[in-house]
């Protein structure tokens, strides 16, 4: 740490201090020079220069200078004088002690060298362990600087915050010393949090890896073990992330199931979104064995879920089409050098998600399928509450009919179940109770249980009617639930297999037309999905166009064939879409990226490397331009509405189906393209004109990148800053005037009737004055009438 402070912090502090002292000294000499004289000033300048060089050497390499100072001095030259007795005894002592201290000194020297070598390797190494150490060291340095700031440098609120942190830490240490049980509780909470947040997701990721290892052609158990052996930190992180993502997906599925069913149908599974859930309190209240049992049961459940999900979907994929397995998963072979996958995630995917709204559509389809399966299994009352008479009886077979010939028999029971997922009952109390159809208990045990439940609900301050509901429970309820889960699982697996298999196969066939190498199935899935979406849109558009053609009146439209109409409309749509795509998706992003490179990036690169030759790749520039466009669109939302934002809003509202290239060109494409081209071409024209008009001035080609473009950028920034500052000062001054001089503000309601009455009265007065003006004679009469009319207008004018 001392080495870090000396080599990093001390040089910067010394340089800043020397600059300050130099500025103050030069100012002093400039003021006092006439009084001191030139000789004194020259001596002071020479002495301060020597002192500044020495201090500068110390600031550049403080550690080496300190070692040089503390090193052993050079051997003194032999002197003719007789050494003193102190020197003689010291030399004798050193001769005796040297054999004993020399190995120790050598050990210290070698150990310090090894320590410095290990330190350099740990801080600048490329292995995962070295990077982890560098990250931890960085956080430690930041914490040290913050502690120094809070303890020595900070004033006011920061010093108060530092004092509060120290007091809190001291109090916690005192509590831990005085109450050993508190330390046990903290250790218990920390252990179980580590298990649930680190160990549990990691185990889930390992199980997921074992279940999916046969998905990939080049993977096996041996390769996975080798991966863990060669890169343990990376393997642990990958498996932890995969397990965490699977657990999150499973939690999302459970949340979707809760949204489909009535509240309370899954009361036995804790809702993670419940505001009344207290995981830390549960860890403290439950015993260690009980908590471990809960975690073990959850682990077994997640393992079964992983095995069932992966196995069922993979089996369906293999049965559906053998060519889809194994999955092509080549992370080291991207589709191109341009990051098209990242561009897709940033630009295309948000629009697709906004268009499809998969959560809403999936919930609607799931609700329909859920109700259909629940009705067939007579579980609608339990899942959705209410009474369904057609599900409260079973069909008898012909040999079990009663004497009246009725083939239906009423069976099953009614139970009082929770109507909310947040059950307030104790853990050892039963939650459901047997009741009749109208909610009355069936026996004394049920009546006692209901009474105890009502007492607990009232003690929690809740309403009994809101906490419980009566539902119908058919015979073999548990087996029906298992059958329902199996049926829904099969339906979901089939739907997932079809949703994944068809786009992947279509995407593979598409890529096989252009290349012979195997492409990552992620790209095949994306391309296949958008091809299916495009085919659907094409078919729906043709169908809609045909129906519109049939509804259109007139022989001119009815006589046209459908292929001709499709070709005409399709050609117009393709031309419009191609124009909009080229201008908004290629031209504008490329120009924006060129402008940023010329005004910002290239000057910085030339400053760092003057001998660099500027080379711009158009494809990479276009990719960066798309990111710049997205950032600019998000930043434009913070600005007040203007012509440019309104033009963008018109383009978004029209969409691709009703695009208006003319309006888009007038409002967005034309002004933006013209301005960007001017920013690129105008400085170059000015530079060439200067070279032509002033050939004697030595200006090389780098001058335009180092001075002209940055100068224009700085000038524009200063002007914009001045405008913004002027606006802020105007607002500030207006607020000061309102605060100091504003006496009163009144709010009056607008009365249209009163305003109309005043307008009519003023019109009537005007008509009377015009009549009097016509009847009056002479200039004097006209003057009197004019004065009377003015007085009347002033009398009726609203104040």
């Amino acid at each position: 740490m001392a080495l870090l402070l000396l080599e990093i912090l001390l040089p910067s502090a010394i340089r800043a201090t020397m600059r300050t002292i130099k500025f103050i000294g030069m100012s002093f000499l400039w003021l006092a020079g006439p009084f001191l004289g030139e000789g004194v000033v020259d001596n002071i300048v020479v002495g301060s220069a020597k002192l500044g060089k020495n201090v500068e050497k110390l600031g550049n390499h403080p550690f080496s200078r300190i070692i040089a100072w503390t090193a052993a001095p050079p051997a003194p030259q032999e002197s003719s004088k007789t050494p003193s007795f102190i020197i003689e005894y010291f030399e004798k002592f050193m001769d005796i002690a040297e054999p004993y201290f020399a190995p120790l000194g050598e050990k210290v020297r070698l150990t310090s060298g090894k320590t410095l070598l290990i330190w350099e390797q740990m801080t600048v190494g490329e292995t995962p362990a070295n990077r982890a150490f560098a990250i931890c060291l960085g956080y430690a340095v930041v914490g040290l600087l913050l502690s120094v700031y809070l303890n020595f440098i900070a004033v006011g609120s920061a010093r108060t915050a530092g004092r509060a942190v120290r007091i809190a830490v001291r109090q916690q240490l005192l509590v831990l010393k005085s109450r050993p049980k508190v330390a046990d509780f903290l250790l218990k909470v920390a252990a179980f949090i580590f298990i649930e947040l680190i160990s549990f997701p990691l185990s889930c990721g390992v199980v997921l890896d074992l279940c999916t290892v046969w998905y990939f052609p080049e993977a096996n158990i041996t390769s996975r073990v080798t991966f863990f052996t060669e890169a343990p930190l990376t393997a642990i992180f990958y498996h932890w992330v995969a397990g965490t993502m699977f657990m999150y997906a499973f939690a999302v599925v459970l949340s979707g199931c809760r949204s489909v069913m009535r509240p309370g149908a899954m009361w036995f599974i804790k809702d993670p979104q419940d505001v009344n859930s207290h995981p830390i309190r549960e860890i403290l209240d439950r015993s260690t064995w009980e908590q471990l049992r809960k975690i073990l049961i959850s682990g077994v459940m997640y393992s079964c879920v992983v095995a069932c999900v992966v196995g069922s979907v993979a089996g369906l994929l293999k049965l559906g089409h053998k060519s889809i397995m194994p999955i092509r998963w080549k992370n080291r072979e991207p589709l191109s050098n341009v990051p098209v996958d990242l561009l897709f995630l940033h630009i295309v995917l948000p629009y697709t998600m906004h268009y499809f709204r998969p959560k809403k559509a999936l919930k609607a389809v799931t609700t329909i399928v859920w109700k259909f399966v629940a009705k067939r299994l007579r579980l609608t009352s339990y899942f959705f509450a209410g009474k369904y008479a057609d599900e409260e009886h079973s069909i008898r077979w012909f040999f079990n009919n009663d004497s009246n010939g009725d083939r239906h028999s009423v069976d099953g029971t009614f139970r009082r179940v929770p109507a909310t997922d947040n059950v307030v009952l104790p853990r050892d109390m039963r939650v459901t109770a047997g009741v009749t159809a109208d909610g009355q208990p069936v026996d004394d045990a049920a009546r006692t249980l209901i009474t105890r439940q009502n007492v607990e609900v009232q003690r929690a301050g809740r309403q009994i009617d809101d906490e419980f509901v009566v539902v119908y429970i058919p015979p073999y309820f548990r087996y029906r639930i298992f059958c329902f889960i199996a049926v829904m699982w099969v339906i979901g697996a089939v739907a997932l297999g079809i949703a994944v298999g068809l786009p992947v196969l279509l995407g593979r066939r598409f890529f096989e037309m252009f290349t012979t190498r195997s492409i990552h199935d992620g790209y095949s899935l994306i391309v296949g999905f958008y091809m299916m979406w495009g085919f659907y849109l094409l078919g729906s558009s043709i169908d809609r166009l045909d129906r519109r053609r049939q509804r259109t009146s007139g022989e001119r439209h009815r006589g046209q064939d459908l292929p001709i109409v499709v070709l005409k409309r399709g050609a117009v749509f393709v031309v419009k879409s191609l124009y909009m795509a080229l201008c908004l998706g290629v031209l504008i992003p490329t120009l924006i990226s060129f402008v940023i490179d010329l005004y910002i990036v290239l000057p910085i690169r030339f400053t760092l490397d003057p001998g660099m030759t500027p080379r711009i790749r158009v494809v990479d520039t276009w990719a960066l331009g798309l990111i710049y466009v997205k950032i600019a669109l998000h930043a434009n939302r913070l600005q007040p509405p203007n012509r440019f934002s309104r033009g963008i809003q018109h383009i978004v509202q029209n969409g691709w189906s009703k695009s208006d290239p003319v309006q888009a060109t007038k409002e967005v494409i034309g002004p933006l393209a013209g301005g960007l081209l001017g920013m690129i071409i105008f400085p170059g024209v000015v530079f060439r004109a200067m070279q032509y008009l002033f050939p004697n001035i030595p200006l090389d080609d780098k001058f335009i990148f180092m001075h002209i473009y940055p100068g224009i950028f700085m000038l524009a920034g200063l002007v914009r800053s001045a405008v913004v500052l002027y606006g802020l000062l105007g607002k500030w001054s207006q607020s000061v005037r309102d605060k100091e001089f504003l006496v009163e503000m009144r709010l009056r309601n607008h009365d249209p009737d009163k305003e109309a009455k005043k307008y009519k009265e003023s019109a009537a007065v005007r008509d009377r004055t015009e009549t009097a003006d016509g009847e009056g004679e002479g200039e004097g009469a006209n003057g009197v009438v004019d004065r009377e009319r003015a007085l009347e207008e002033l009398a009726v004018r609203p104040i």
Side-chain angles (χ1 to χ4, degrees):
M1 190 57 66
L3 175 62
L4 180 66
L5 293 175
L6 287 174
E7 291 293 335
I8 296 178
L9 299 181
L10 188 59
S12 302
I14 291 177
R15 284 194 292 269
T17 306
M18 288 301 299
R19 290 175 183 175
T20 305
I21 295 175
K22 183 178 180 181
F23 176 75
I24 296 173
M26 293 299 293
S27 302
F28 173 75
L29 292 177
W30 182 71
L31 294 174
F35 303 98
L36 298 177
E38 293 184 1
V40 176
V41 172
D42 293 338
N43 293 331
I44 293 175
V45 170
V46 172
S48 61
K50 293 181 179 179
L51 179 62
K53 290 181 179 179
N54 294 329
V55 175
E56 185 178 0
K57 292 179 180 179
L58 174 63
N60 292 332
H61 302 286
F63 190 70
S64 59
R65 300 293 296 179
I66 291 173
I67 291 177
W69 291 344
T70 57
Q77 297 180 358
E78 293 184 358
S79 177
S80 60
K81 295 182 179 181
T82 304
S84 63
F85 71 96
I86 298 177
I87 296 176
E88 291 180 359
Y89 280 108
F90 180 74
E91 290 179 355
K92 291 180 180 180
F93 174 77
M94 291 301 297
D95 293 337
I96 297 172
E98 185 177 3
Y100 300 97
F101 285 96
L104 178 61
E106 184 179 3
K107 186 72 173 179
V108 171
R109 181 174 58 82
L110 294 177
T111 304
S112 61
K114 291 180 180 179
T115 304
L116 291 176
L117 182 62
I118 294 173
W119 176 270
E120 292 179 358
Q121 185 178 1
M122 291 293 291
T123 52
V124 300
E126 296 295 335
T127 62
N130 296 339
R131 294 177 180 177
F133 175 79
I135 293 173
C136 295
L137 180 63
Y139 279 111
V141 172
V142 172
L144 176 64
L145 295 178
L146 288 177
S147 62
V148 171
Y149 173 76
L150 292 175
N151 284 277
F152 302 105
I153 303 175
V155 294
S157 59
R159 183 175 292 275
T160 305
R163 189 182 300 110
V165 171
R166 293 195 300 271
I167 292 173
V169 173
R170 191 179 299 113
Q171 288 178 353
Q172 294 296 326
L173 293 176
L174 291 175
V175 169
L176 292 178
K177 290 180 180 180
S178 61
R179 297 181 180 179
K181 290 185 178 181
V182 176
D184 297 339
F185 288 153
L186 291 178
L187 182 61
K188 177 183 177 182
V189 171
F192 281 108
I193 287 177
F194 179 81
I195 291 173
E196 294 187 2
L197 295 182
I198 305 297
S199 302
F200 196 82
L202 179 61
S203 304
C204 186
V206 171
V207 174
L208 186 64
D209 191 10
L210 293 176
C211 294
T212 57
V213 69
W214 55 284
Y215 272 32
F216 311 101
E218 300 176 356
N220 50 45
I221 302 297
T222 305
S223 63
R224 293 293 189 261
V225 174
T226 305
F227 181 43
F228 266 97
T229 305
E230 298 295 333
L233 293 178
T234 306
I236 290 173
F237 178 74
Y238 282 174
H239 287 80
W240 178 79
V241 170
T244 303
M245 293 176 62
F246 182 83
M247 293 175 61
Y248 176 75
F250 189 70
V252 170
V253 171
L254 292 181
S255 178
C257 294
R258 291 180 189 274
S259 64
V260 171
M261 297 183 295
R262 63 171 180 85
M266 296 178 64
W267 58 268
F268 47 87
I269 298 178
K270 283 289 185 181
D271 186 5
Q273 298 179 357
D274 186 9
V275 295
N276 297 319
S277 178
H278 302 284
I280 305 299
R281 183 181 300 174
E282 291 182 1
I283 293 175
L284 294 176
D285 292 342
R286 293 184 178 182
S287 62
T288 303
W289 170 248
E290 205 172 319
Q291 196 72 19
L292 288 174
R293 179 174 172 271
K294 173 190 172 184
I295 293 175
L296 182 61
I297 293 174
S298 300
V300 173
M301 182 189 67
Y302 271 105
S303 301
C304 296
V305 169
V306 170
C308 292
V309 169
V310 176
S312 59
V313 175
L316 287 173
L317 291 176
K318 274 201 168 185
L319 291 175
H321 202 290
K322 295 182 180 180
S323 63
I324 198 174
M325 300 294 291
I327 295 177
R328 301 172 184 175
W329 196 270
K330 299 183 178 180
N331 297 328
R332 304 296 181 181
E333 297 181 7
L335 187 62
S336 65
N337 295 328
V338 181
V340 291
D341 44 3
L342 297 180
L343 295 177
F344 168 80
L345 292 177
H346 278 283
I347 299 173
V348 183
L349 186 60
Y351 174 77
T352 306
M353 299 296 289
H354 179 74
Y355 179 84
F356 279 100
R357 300 185 183 273
K359 185 177 181 180
K360 185 177 180 180
L362 190 61
K363 181 180 178 180
V365 175
T366 304
T367 303
I368 296 173
V369 177
W370 199 292
K371 290 183 178 181
F372 176 79
V373 178
K375 185 176 181 180
R376 294 297 179 269
L377 295 174
R378 302 168 61 187
L379 297 173
T380 308
S381 179
Y382 177 78
F383 285 138
F384 302 99
K387 293 185 178 181
Y388 301 88
D390 55 343
E391 297 183 13
E392 295 178 3
H393 54 76
S394 61
I395 300 177
R396 293 179 179 269
W397 299 101
F398 65 93
F399 50 82
N400 288 331
N401 292 346
D402 56 7
S403 59
N404 298 327
D406 189 7
R407 297 182 57 193
H408 299 81
S409 63
V410 179
D411 54 2
T413 58
F414 291 89
R415 297 194 72 86
R416 186 173 183 256
V417 298
T420 178
D421 293 323
N422 183 18
V423 181
V424 296
L425 302 179
R427 192 178 296 110
D428 55 349
M429 182 183 294
R430 291 190 60 183
V431 181
T432 63
V435 295
T436 60
D438 54 357
Q440 298 299 323
V442 295
D443 51 16
D444 295 337
R447 184 177 293 104
T448 303
L449 179 60
I450 290 174
T451 304
R452 292 175 57 195
Q453 291 176 351
N454 294 341
V455 171
E456 293 293 338
V457 170
Q458 292 176 355
R459 185 180 301 173
R462 300 186 182 183
Q463 298 295 327
I464 298 175
D465 296 337
D466 298 336
E467 294 295 316
F468 297 97
V469 64
V470 177
V471 298
Y472 171 74
I473 303 297
Y476 307 105
F477 176 73
R478 182 176 300 177
Y479 299 104
R480 292 176 186 269
I481 290 293
F482 289 155
C483 181
F484 176 82
I485 294 175
V487 172
M488 293 297 294
W489 197 278
V490 170
I491 294 174
V494 171
L496 182 61
I498 295 174
V500 173
L502 289 180
V504 168
L505 291 175
L506 187 59
R508 287 180 180 178
R509 299 299 179 269
F510 174 79
F511 283 117
E512 286 175 358
M513 295 188 302
F514 303 98
T515 180
T516 56
R517 66 188 183 97
S518 59
I519 305 298
H520 195 291
D521 277 339
Y523 299 119
S524 301
L525 177 65
I526 293 172
V527 172
F529 170 76
Y530 281 97
M531 289 179 66
M532 294 174 61
W533 186 19
F535 294 153
Y536 168 76
L537 293 178
L538 180 62
S540 60
S541 300
I542 293 175
D543 181 66
R544 186 168 57 252
L545 187 62
D546 185 32
R547 287 181 292 175
R548 185 183 303 172
R549 182 183 64 88
Q550 294 177 1
R551 289 196 306 266
T552 305
S553 60
E555 296 295 333
R556 184 174 63 87
H557 295 281
R558 288 195 180 184
Q560 295 180 355
D561 294 333
L562 180 62
I564 298 176
V565 177
V566 170
L567 288 177
K568 289 182 178 179
R569 298 293 180 88
V572 174
F573 174 77
V574 168
V575 171
K576 290 183 178 180
S577 301
L578 190 62
Y579 173 79
M580 298 290 287
L582 289 177
C583 292
L584 298 177
V586 178
L587 178 62
I588 300 300
T590 305
L591 292 178
I592 290 177
S593 184
F594 268 124
V595 168
I596 293 177
D597 283 345
L598 291 174
Y599 282 86
I600 300 176
V601 177
L602 285 179
I604 296 175
R605 294 178 63 185
F606 271 116
T607 303
L608 299 177
D609 186 10
M612 181 199 66
T613 302
R615 295 177 181 178
I616 299 177
R617 294 186 59 186
V618 179
V619 179
D620 295 341
T621 304
W622 165 75
L624 285 174
L626 291 177
I627 305 299
Y628 294 151
V629 167
K630 185 176 181 179
I631 296 174
L633 290 177
H634 284 281
N636 188 54
R637 296 177 182 176
L638 304 176
Q639 302 294 329
N642 49 43
R643 180 180 178 183
F644 182 72
S645 61
R646 286 191 293 268
I648 295 176
Q649 190 66 25
H650 291 162
I651 294 175
V652 173
Q653 290 177 354
N654 293 333
W656 292 102
S657 59
K658 299 179 181 179
S659 59
D660 189 355
V662 177
Q663 183 182 11
T665 303
K666 291 181 180 179
E667 295 179 347
V668 178
I669 298 175
L672 196 57
L676 293 173
L677 287 174
M679 294 175 66
I680 295 173
I681 298 174
F682 180 72
V685 173
V686 172
F687 177 70
R688 292 304 179 188
M690 291 177 60
Q691 286 185 330
Y692 179 76
L693 296 176
F694 305 100
N696 296 327
I697 299 177
L699 298 177
D700 55 355
D701 293 337
K702 294 181 182 180
F703 183 82
I704 186 173
F705 300 110
M706 294 292 294
H707 298 88
I708 293 182
Y709 283 114
I712 295 174
F713 178 73
M714 293 180 63
L715 180 62
L718 291 175
V719 172
R720 180 60 181 171
S721 301
V723 172
V724 173
L725 183 61
Y726 180 77
L728 293 176
L729 290 176
K731 293 181 180 179
W732 174 74
S733 62
Q734 183 64 36
S735 64
V736 171
R737 286 196 297 267
D738 293 342
K739 182 179 180 180
E740 298 294 336
F741 303 105
L742 184 62
V743 178
E744 184 182 10
M745 293 182 67
R746 292 184 180 181
L747 181 63
R748 294 183 179 181
N749 294 330
H750 177 66
D751 192 356
D753 298 335
K754 188 175 181 180
E755 297 292 335
K757 185 178 180 180
K758 288 183 179 181
Y759 178 76
K760 291 180 181 180
E761 290 178 357
S762 62
V765 170
R766 191 180 300 108
D767 293 340
R768 288 197 301 269
T769 54
E770 289 178 356
T771 303
D773 189 12
E775 294 177 355
E777 296 179 359
E779 184 179 356
N782 292 336
V784 172
V785 171
D786 291 339
R787 287 194 298 271
E788 291 180 352
R789 182 172 61 186
L791 291 174
E792 290 177 354
E793 288 182 355
L794 289 174
V796 300
R797 183 178 297 172
I799 299 176

